[in-house]
Amino acid sequence: MIEARRLSKRFGPVEALRDVSFRTQKGAITAMLGENGAGKTTTLKIVLGFLRPDAGAVTIAPGRVGYIPDRPAYFPWVDGWTILELGRSVRGGRDNGNGRDFRARVLAAARELLFDPGLLGRRPGSYSAGNLRKFAYLQNLVAGPDALVVDEPYASLDPPSIKAVRDVFCGLRDAGKTVLLSSHMLAEMERIADAFIVLRRGATIAHAGLREWRVLRSARSAPDLESVFLRLAGP
Amino acid sequence: MPDTALLALTWRVTKRRFLASWPAIVAGLAFPACIVWAGIGDSYGTAAKLFYFLLPHVFLVAAQDGVRTDLESGALENTLFAAGRFRGFLRAKGLVTAAAAGGYALLLFGLFAAWGLLLGAFRPDDLVKFALALLAGLYYAALAGVLGHVLRGGSNVLSLLLAQAAAVMALVFTASSRTGLLDYIAAGTFPRLGPKLAFGGFVALLPNLIVAGRPSVFAAEVLAGLGLAWAVNERLIRKLELRNGRSA
């Protein structure tokens, strides 16, 4: 569970967030929607503790929180295996069994994500954008997150990889984990999300579960999420 | 104080960084080679002067990749460093870098002292000089850490080296036939307040001088500088946020 209450944040003269509140549930995929500059990434960074809010608070249920930024980046002098090992060492090293178990777990997750494990011997800086994103998923999945926060989940991915990642999200949801996605791919979000948060100019303007969303959609005679979003976020 | 898991992670990252940095490797090997060359070509005493004077620069070279380098790489925006752990990592990085440089300095000192003992040239006050060199090195690491908040990897060290070169050249070119700062440095005594302050300013830029000169007051100055740089670094890290790979 992730709960944000009345978040606000300024960057100098720019008011990035003025009133963002939402609550995600365990065993649910929540989609955060909003036009460019609405405050989605800033909100996620506050949730993850990379930024401090000027006001408001975030509460996260105890457990591991995974995060995939919109542009994953890694130290340029370490290879893929080393990064995965670093994560393992931070977690105490034993939660994934011995080294052989850990390797098997990595290879299984790589298969699930259609990621070539042969790339792990190379530095992530040399990966293509799509493989870099899949590696970021791999790093987080191997850690076994209780909640996963993803900014632009499908950026740079090819159609088979999008399907693989979608299956990962659904698998996490079915396992009772919390998934929070920030995306512009409305059709894709409508396909998998159980709840929606819509931000506009740094404030939450809609926060609804799937059933409420359908009511909202029919009340506005909108055929799909895109139509509702455009009406909510429009001028 | 960073937790042990974070320290272990920082150590692994730092070790990899050192091993991947050819300037650090070249500098790390060139230093003992230079000392051996001086010892063989001239005397152990000459090598000792050079060794204790240059030893603090081991810390300076080690501290070349500062906070800004890590921020701009985007690598801190990772699950590993979520929940504010990136601040702990940056604190631990300063400690680990200083410890790694200190370990290397200790290794070199051990070898150098063994060489001196074999020749019968090692003196007890060499231990004091080594301690002073470590103090100057720690000051360098802290100072480079502060500069690393605004200057990218390498340029924090380069700017300090250029400032040192400029200060030395200024000192040499302003030397006159009258008794001046160079003579006071050579003698290790500073008769008036003016030369004391001038030397104090020089020590802040080139702390290696405490190894060569009369150390007590100026060692205290370097110690105070170390404390100040550490406090400034801590304050900057505490305020740090990750915004588009840059500090906000």
Side-chain angles (χ1 to χ4, degrees), chain A residues 5 13 28 55-56 73-74 89 97 108 122 127 136 147 156 170 173 177 179 194-195 199 209 211 217 231:
Chain A
R5 293 183 302 280
Y74 295 91
S89 71
R122 289 165 44 186
Y127 299 172
S156 310
C170 293
R173 172 180 56 193
K177 313 295 185 188
V179 181
D194 306 297
L199 302 187
R211 190 177 299 167
R217 202 171 74 178
R231 285 181 198 183

Side-chain angles (χ1 to χ4, degrees), chain A residues 9 11-12 14 41 45 48-53 65-79 82-83 85-92 123 139-140, chain B residues 5-6 8-9 12-14 16-18 20 65 69-70 73-87 89 237-245 248:
Chain A
K9 179 72 181 172
F11 297 117
V14 179
T41 298
K45 286 189 177 185
L48 269 297
F50 294 121
L51 293 174
R52 289 192 183 100
V65 181
Y67 172 56
I68 297 163
D70 56 345
R71 282 174 291 179
Y74 295 91
F75 292 116
W77 53 83
V78 286
D79 61 26
T82 305
I83 289 162
E85 284 286 347
L86 287 176
R88 186 167 176 249
S89 71
V90 165
R91 296 188 299 275
R123 294 171 184 183
Q139 185 202 3
N140 281 277
Chain B
L6 197 58
L9 177 142
R12 293 184 69 170
V13 170
T14 306
R16 292 269 176 173
R17 177 169 66 84
F18 282 142
D65 279 329
T69 311
D70 284 342
S73 74
L76 296 183
E77 201 185 318
N78 189 287
T79 312
L80 292 174
F81 305 112
R85 277 197 300 271
F86 67 95
R87 296 189 194 94
F89 169 77
I237 287 176
R238 206 181 305 142
K239 287 173 64 181
L240 210 57
E241 296 185 286
L242 299 187
R243 180 189 167 198
N244 301 328

Side-chain angles (χ1 to χ4, degrees), chain B residues 34-119:
Chain B
C34 180
I35 300 303
V36 169
W37 175 76
I40 293 172
D42 197 298
S43 66
Y44 181 82
T46 304
K49 281 179 185 164
L50 206 57
F51 178 76
Y52 296 117
F53 189 79
L54 290 180
L55 195 64
H57 275 85
V58 168
F59 288 79
L60 187 59
V61 172
Q64 63 178 308
D65 279 329
V67 168
R68 181 142 295 272
T69 311
D70 284 342
L71 287 178
E72 295 192 346
S73 74
L76 296 183
E77 201 185 318
N78 189 287
T79 312
L80 292 174
F81 305 112
R85 277 197 300 271
F86 67 95
R87 296 189 194 94
F89 169 77
L90 293 172
R91 284 187 191 101
K93 181 179 160 180
L95 291 176
V96 164
T97 301
Y104 184 60
L106 197 61
L107 171 73
L108 292 180
F109 176 69
L111 294 171
F112 190 71
W115 184 19
L117 287 170
L118 279 175
L119 297 174

Side-chain angles (χ1 to χ4, degrees), chain B residues 130-174:
Chain B
F130 177 64
L132 289 169
L134 286 184
L135 174 63
L138 290 173
Y139 170 76
Y140 268 141
L143 189 60
V146 172
L147 291 174
H149 281 271
V150 287
L151 298 171
R152 287 187 186 87
S155 49
N156 55 342
V157 170
L158 192 63
S159 62
L160 205 52
L161 291 175
L162 286 173
Q164 289 177 347
V168 169
M169 283 173 71
L171 188 67
V172 170
F173 283 116
T174 55

Side-chain angles (χ1 to χ4, degrees), chain B residues 153-218:
Chain B
S155 49
N156 55 342
V157 170
L158 192 63
S159 62
L160 205 52
L161 291 175
L162 286 173
Q164 289 177 347
V168 169
M169 283 173 71
L171 188 67
V172 170
F173 283 116
T174 55
S176 66
S177 55
R178 290 185 297 117
T179 304
L181 194 57
L182 277 175
D183 303 289
Y184 298 140
I185 293 171
T189 54
F190 302 90
R192 297 188 309 279
L193 185 62
K196 276 195 177 87
L197 288 176
F199 188 67
F202 213 62
V203 166
L205 198 58
L206 188 64
N208 313 45
L209 286 169
I210 60 170
V211 177
R214 293 282 184 272
S216 54
V217 173
F218 300 108

